[in-house]
Amino acid sequence: MGQKRATGEPYVCHPFTVCEILMDYQADITTLIAALLHDVVEDTDCSLEDIKNKFGPQVALIVDGLTKFEKGFIDKELYSALNSEKLLLHASKDIRVAIVKIADRLHNMRTLGIKKIERKFLTQMKR
């Protein structure tokens, strides 16, 4: 609670904006719910099982596809590859995983202007 983005706005604004982007493209309700919840597993103590119980297996599948593994002691390149593989595997089961990811990235790119030029360059090089 109380997390802030680099823009200084409350972090909770991010999933709302991702959802709003998808609303502009007339996404279905399952996609919109998943957009609102896409960072919940990573950023709170809510589990995928909680999401599945409250919102159903389709929303849980989409959120799972967007949830990164815990970093642990894994090499950065391997970590990135594993998360990309997970995203693609889940997107092959439900294309809405990729759709929410694109909207998420779009909002992140729209807010890159807040970061310093060096940080922008480093962020893009990691992807």
Side-chain angles (χ1 to χ4, degrees):
M1 202 67 155
Q3 292 178 341
K4 301 264 188 205
R5 290 179 54 84
T7 60
E9 63 188 359
Y11 190 80
V12 72
C13 292
H14 171 68
F16 286 129
T17 304
V18 172
C19 186
E20 187 175 49
I21 290 167
L22 293 166
M23 286 173 61
D24 289 342
Y25 289 97
Q26 300 176 347
D28 68 318
I29 191 68
T30 300
T31 306
L32 298 176
I33 293 168
L36 289 171
L37 300 173
H38 78 273
D39 285 333
V40 165
V41 175
E42 289 177 21
D43 296 339
T44 71
D45 60 358
C46 184
S47 70
L48 278 170
E49 192 62 31
D50 294 335
I51 290 172
K52 184 177 179 181
N53 291 336
K54 291 179 182 169
F55 301 100
Q58 289 180 318
V59 171
L61 174 83
I62 297 168
V63 172
D64 186 24
L66 298 164
T67 301
K68 295 178 183 172
F69 292 108
E70 287 192 34
K71 179 94 169 96
F73 297 103
I74 302 173
D75 172 70
K76 284 183 182 181
E77 288 180 18
L78 178 59
Y79 177 72
S80 179
L82 289 171
N83 285 313
S84 294
E85 180 181 46
K86 180 181 181 185
L87 176 76
L88 291 172
L89 178 65
H90 282 70
S92 72
K93 295 176 186 174
D94 191 329
I95 194 63
R96 294 175 291 190
V97 174
I99 292 168
V100 175
K101 185 63 174 182
I102 291 167
D104 176 46
R105 285 287 172 96
L106 176 60
H107 181 242
N108 288 339
M109 291 185 75
R110 286 177 178 171
T111 59
L112 273 177
I114 302 302
K115 295 182 181 181
K116 294 179 182 174
I117 297 299
E118 307 87 44
R119 178 103 169 119
K120 274 194 218 180
F121 180 74
L122 291 173
T123 300
Q124 292 303 313
M125 294 299 293
K126 290 179 184 177
R127 294 182 181 163

